[in-house]
């Protein structure tokens, strides 16, 4: 994995940072950019971003590890994130997760051997009224049941 921004990403980085009064305030959008560019934010990416941002690697690691939207290790082509916070839990999130685990033959935090799916549990994704729900890549899937989950998984190649 290359841990340097492409010329295009460097341009976006400069534009992003210029929109904030302090470089540090741009940390989240810069990390979003880095994740798009590198796929995940491992130790080398964290070191690189720390240098770019003029921060310590420990500080950047602290931010990356706090937010579930950042992946600290490689993930599959599709990242399934099941919300496990109270409204979704009351709506059956645990059953959704168990069903997906069984269907894919993986545990939470694992990736299928074909590299197709990674399964994670995350905190509230602000779609509590349509619980239980999950995010797959950039899309929300709501009011989940076994049938819906099966259709969703089959539609994702
Ligand atoms: S509790 Fe699941 S989206 Fe808010």
């Amino acid at each position: 994995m290359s841990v340097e921004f492409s010329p295009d990403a460097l341009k976006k980085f400069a534009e992003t940072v210029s929109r904030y009064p302090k470089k540090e305030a741009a940390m989240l959008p810069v990390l979003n950019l880095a994740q798009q560019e590198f796929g995940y934010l491992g130790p080398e990416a964290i070191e690189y971003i720390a240098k770019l941002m003029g921060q310590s690697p420990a500080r950047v690691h602290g931010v990356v590890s706090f937010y579930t939207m950042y992946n600290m290790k490689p993930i599959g082509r599709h990242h399934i994130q099941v919300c496990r916070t109270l409204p979704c839990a009351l709506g059956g999130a645990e059953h959704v997760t168990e069903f997906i685990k069984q269907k894919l033959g993986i545990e939470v935090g694992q990736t299928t051997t074909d590299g197709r799916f990674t399964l994670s549990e995350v905190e509230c994704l602000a779609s509590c009224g349509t619980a239980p729900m999950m995010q797959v890549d950039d899309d929300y899937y709501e009011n989940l049941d076994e049938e819906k989950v099966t259709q969703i998984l089959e539609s994702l190649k």
Side-chain angles (χ1 to χ4, degrees):
M1 173 182 103
S2 164
V3 287
E4 282 189 12
F5 278 158
S6 62
D8 223 36
L10 268 179
K11 216 171 121 190
K12 282 184 197 159
F13 168 77
E15 282 166 12
T16 302
V17 165
S18 73
R19 281 189 256 127
Y20 293 85
K22 281 184 178 178
K23 209 178 196 182
E24 188 183 1
M27 183 67 85
L28 297 184
V30 167
L31 289 173
N32 293 343
L33 177 66
Q35 185 157 277
Q36 278 168 17
E37 188 81 347
F38 307 135
Y40 69 100
L41 301 173
E44 299 90 352
I46 287 174
E47 286 263 347
Y48 178 69
I49 297 302
K51 246 184 228 157
L52 278 182
M53 297 295 285
Q55 299 286 319
S56 71
R59 173 115 179 90
V60 177
H61 180 275
V63 177
V64 170
S65 59
F66 179 78
Y67 293 101
T68 56
M69 64 196 176
Y70 298 123
N71 307 310
M72 297 184 72
K73 52 186 189 176
I75 56 163
R77 287 198 301 286
H78 301 292
H79 190 192
I80 302 169
Q81 299 172 80
V82 181
C83 173
R84 66 176 177 196
T85 306
L86 190 61
C88 282
L90 292 173
E94 199 175 320
H95 179 74
V96 169
T97 302
E98 283 306 313
F99 183 69
I100 295 171
K101 279 165 61 177
Q102 210 175 50
K103 275 209 95 70
L104 300 181
I106 56 173
E107 294 296 318
V108 171
Q110 292 183 337
T111 299
T112 53
T113 50
D114 61 2
R116 197 166 151 212
F117 294 108
T118 297
L119 176 62
S120 301
E121 283 181 315
V122 297
E123 301 307 332
C124 184
L125 293 168
S127 187
C128 322
T130 55
M133 64 80 65
M134 65 183 179
Q135 179 175 350
V136 184
D137 306 327
D138 292 330
D139 298 316
Y140 275 17
Y141 296 91
E142 299 159 314
N143 299 306
L144 296 173
D145 57 25
E146 289 187 4
E147 199 186 321
K148 268 195 178 174
V149 169
T150 301
Q151 282 171 3
I152 294 160
L153 296 182
E154 283 171 3
S155 74
L156 297 166
K157 297 296 162 207

